[in-house]
Amino acid sequence: MAKIPPRQKMREQNPNSRIYNFQEVAQGFTKEMAIKEAERCLQCDEPKCINGCPVNIDIPKFIRLIKENDYLEAIRSIKEYNILPAICGRVCPQEIQCEKACILSKKWDPVAIGALERFLADWERKNQLKECPDCEVPNHIKVAVIGSGPASLTCAADLAKYGFDVTIFEAFHTGGGVLVYGIPEFRLPKEIVENEIETLKMLGVKIEYNIIIGKTLTINDLKNMGFMAIFIGVGAGVPLIPKIPGLNLNSVLTANEFLTRTNLMKAYKFPEYDTPIKIGKIVIVVGGGNTALDSARVALRLGAEKVIIAYRRSEAEMPARKEEYHHAVEEGIEFKFLTNPVKILGDKDSNVKEIEFIKMELGEYDESGRRRPIPIENSEFKIKCDTVILAIGALANPILIKSIPEIKLNKRGYIQVDENGMTNIEGIFAGGDIVSGSATVISAMGAGRKAAEAINRYLKSSLE
Ligand code: FAD
Ligand code: SF4
């Protein structure tokens, strides 16, 4: 291989100033940077990067088009596979997907595929060049999509392209699922999610907000309303709570509650938005995934003086995106690895005052492929704190599932589907976190796409 120039470094807000604001940390590539980065791509005959992408975007093609300055064709080519490029370019864990598979990574830094995808999507948005993707002739067959996270948005868009009459039913007052209530503004500005949802509206997808399927309407109501197939994409938004004493103390929160109040209900803009949030001087976040890191970085921006993340495994096993970990370290978040909470202790007024932890060591590999953390006897120690945020994982959203007792679940409580994404109930499909458990935006999108293909086959064959 010829010598490859160094990878372009994303422009970022300075850590010393960004911890006082909620504006986006990563600032994207300039045109010059995008072209330089595109020139690093070898245009491989057998591009490994495509297989590394869960939705198989033709990566060399869009990179070649950037080099040729044909941005419009480049973004069109991405959108054949991915309806949410501005989102994926920002939050996909590229380092374990396309960029990991990129041939350059054997010897050099891989091509910055995510940053290039983001560059194109931002260019399209800033120049107001959004186009409606091509659609088949409308067939007037109604399909319902439940939830509006990335699985549902992708499924709905693909179904609309197949010509179906699609309606999304969303429990919240706004669309996007975790993209709006979980991931903070400084990682994914909500204006971008709204803009991506506009593409669905251009495709003729209708969105009904404030409707909880299983409460406001049932699956049978949807069938009676004429929906011939249903896609369930309700996610895994119920927090997993550790079984330790002290959970009822004041200022012990789940990450879900903390992030929803901050992001969806805009507590970070208080008093402009009427959502107060109390944050102490010392905040401890328990967990090691994206949710834990997001909570810690939000707490810092809300005014905490010291934020500590306690994670029961080591740095190597942390499931959070590497870029977010790097940003959190730059911002001064402290990490305590191999550390697990035993109990939360309070003062006489039931306010949290400290956590007792135990040190852990790593044992054999478990079913997740990671080494199992094991407590070290007599290694307990305490850390003082004012707020505790629990971010140890999530469970399936139960409301809809409970309203359809005949639907088959796996032993972890998630919906079971066949290879086409169909549940045991004919005409009802599911995908995303409600099937896989907490995963990634792009894997949810891949599941939505697969289900749309299957719904298309199912409905069109039933018409023949
Ligand atoms: P969700 O995004 O959870 O959407 C489900 C939607 O269904 C919600 O809008 C919900 O309100 C709605 N709903 C639920 N029940 C009902 C009902 N009964 N009726 C109607 N609507 C209903 N992944 C990444 O790839 N990169 C990241 O950086 C990243 N960061 C994350 C940060 C946080 C804080 C969290 C929590 C997750 C993060 N993830 C990340 C994971 C990723 O966001 C999820 O895997 C993905 O959003 C799952 O998509 P989904 O469509 O299955 O469900
Ligand atoms: Fe370009 Fe890397 Fe894909 Fe090869 S593997 S085409 S170098 S992005």
Side-chain angles (χ1 to χ4, degrees):
M1 260 189 233
K3 188 160 169 23
I4 303 291
R7 175 170 156 132
Q8 293 294 303
K9 207 171 165 320
M10 176 75 79
R11 297 168 305 153
E12 285 171 358
Q13 261 199 81
N14 183 306
N16 296 331
S17 49
R18 73 183 186 227
I19 57 169
Y20 299 107
N21 69 59
F22 276 78
Q23 281 146 33
E24 197 172 7
V25 169
Q27 308 270 297
F29 277 175
T30 58
K31 269 189 190 177
E32 293 68 33
M33 291 166 82
I35 290 182
K36 275 194 186 154
E37 189 59 30
E39 280 168 353
R40 295 180 70 235
C41 172
L42 301 178
Q43 293 293 313
C44 306
D45 290 337
E46 287 176 33
K48 304 271 184 265
C49 51
I50 298 184
N51 294 335
C53 168
V55 293
N56 303 121
I57 295 178
D58 190 342
I59 293 166
K61 181 174 174 190
F62 88 72
I63 295 182
R64 177 177 51 75
L65 288 163
I66 294 180
K67 264 201 310 196
E68 292 167 4
N69 265 308
D70 193 349
Y71 302 150
L72 198 58
E73 219 28 73
I75 188 73
R76 276 185 193 140
S77 95
I78 293 182
K79 284 195 178 169
E80 276 175 42
Y81 305 87
N82 181 348
I83 198 84
L84 311 173
I87 293 170
C88 289
R90 284 171 166 80
V91 303
C92 271
Q94 290 100 4
E95 73 275 10
I96 54 164
Q97 295 174 338
C98 53
E99 293 183 12
K100 185 176 180 198
C102 170
I103 189 88
L104 290 194
S105 65
K106 289 201 169 146
K107 222 166 156 188
W108 293 282
D109 284 332
V111 176
I113 300 169
L116 290 176
E117 181 182 25
R118 168 192 164 138
F119 165 76
L120 286 172
D122 288 356
W123 171 85
E124 184 200 45
R125 193 180 63 261
K126 283 176 195 151
N127 291 290
Q128 297 182 356
L129 291 169
K130 191 184 271 296
E131 292 177 341
C132 182
D134 292 339
C135 293
E136 289 178 25
V137 179
N139 56 33
H140 308 291
I141 300 173
K142 286 170 72 175
V143 183
V145 170
I146 308 175
S148 66
S152 297
L153 295 177
T154 307
C155 186
D158 281 4
L159 287 168
K161 289 197 226 164
Y162 288 126
F164 293 104
D165 175 359
V166 186
T167 307
I168 292 180
F169 295 92
E170 166 58 47
F172 281 140
H173 61 277
T174 185
V178 170
L179 307 174
V180 287
Y181 77 76
I183 303 183
E185 183 76 14
F186 56 81
R187 274 216 296 134
L188 179 61
K190 301 313 151 221
E191 175 211 342
I192 287 171
V193 182
E194 280 160 28
N195 191 274
E196 302 276 49
I197 291 177
E198 278 307 308
T199 312
L200 270 86
K201 294 192 183 153
M202 287 168 108
L203 284 163
V205 173
K206 289 163 260 184
I207 311 188
E208 300 285 348
Y209 292 115
N210 301 311
I211 295 196
I212 305 176
I213 304 296
K215 288 263 185 226
T216 330
L217 291 173
T218 63
I219 291 280
N220 274 340
D221 291 333
L222 295 181
K223 288 183 180 165
N224 292 336
M225 287 157 78
F227 291 101
M228 304 296 286
I230 295 170
F231 174 77
I232 302 177
V234 292
V238 173
L240 184 65
I241 314 264
K243 292 187 178 68
I244 54 171
L247 295 172
N248 289 335
L249 292 166
N250 298 326
S251 296
V252 176
L253 306 164
T254 64
N256 190 290
E257 179 186 353
F258 178 65
L259 290 174
T260 304
R261 284 183 80 78
T262 316
N263 300 329
L264 188 73
M265 297 164 71
K266 306 265 190 284
Y268 73 95
K269 287 189 174 170
F270 180 80
E272 187 191 330
Y273 283 77
D274 196 12
T275 311
I277 198 159
K278 191 179 153 213
I279 196 86
K281 283 187 181 162
I282 305 176
V283 176
I284 298 185
V285 180
V286 180
N290 286 316
T291 312
L293 266 66
D294 282 343
S295 302
R297 297 174 70 202
V298 165
L300 197 65
R301 283 160 174 77
L302 288 175
E305 287 171 11
K306 182 172 178 169
V307 182
I308 302 167
I309 290 189
Y311 177 49
R312 65 190 183 135
R313 299 183 203 246
S314 75
E315 182 181 345
E317 287 84 25
M318 257 200 346
R321 285 182 81 223
K322 291 289 163 278
E323 187 188 358
E324 307 317 329
Y325 174 47
H326 164 73
H327 283 155
V329 171
E330 275 186 343
E331 289 169 10
I333 308 274
E334 230 180 84
F335 284 80
K336 294 220 174 286
F337 295 109
L338 295 165
T339 299
N340 209 26
V342 179
K343 57 179 147 183
I344 308 172
L345 301 139
D347 62 16
K348 59 177 180 16
D349 299 319
S350 295
N351 293 317
V352 64
K353 73 168 191 197
E354 56 191 2
I355 306 189
E356 183 176 309
F357 288 104
I358 189 162
K359 289 202 171 136
M360 312 292 275
E361 60 188 347
L362 295 178
E364 295 302 311
Y365 287 87
D366 63 16
E367 62 285 353
S368 74
R370 294 174 300 172
R371 290 177 64 194
R372 191 185 297 280
I374 303 166
I376 303 174
E377 248 179 74
N378 300 322
S379 65
E380 287 86 351
F381 66 101
K382 289 179 186 159
I383 307 182
K384 291 206 179 313
C385 60
D386 309 294
T387 305
V388 174
I389 302 173
L390 303 167
I392 61 164
L395 304 167
N397 277 351
I399 295 175
L400 175 59
I401 295 179
K402 281 193 182 150
S403 76
I404 358 174
E406 66 277 27
I407 202 159
K408 251 198 193 149
L409 306 179
N410 65 19
K411 50 180 193 300
R412 292 162 61 221
Y414 295 102
I415 298 179
Q416 248 181 31
V417 293
D418 66 14
E419 64 288 357
N420 295 317
M422 185 144 93
T423 67
N424 61 312
I425 307 172
E426 193 168 330
I428 301 191
F429 297 74
D433 281 5
I434 190 60
V435 169
S436 59
S438 304
T440 59
V441 170
I442 194 76
S443 57
M445 290 177 65
R449 158 151 288 199
K450 197 165 141 199
E453 274 167 24
I455 293 172
N456 181 40
R457 282 195 303 274
Y458 167 78
L459 287 176
K460 290 192 177 154
S461 69
S462 65
L463 283 180
E464 283 164 10

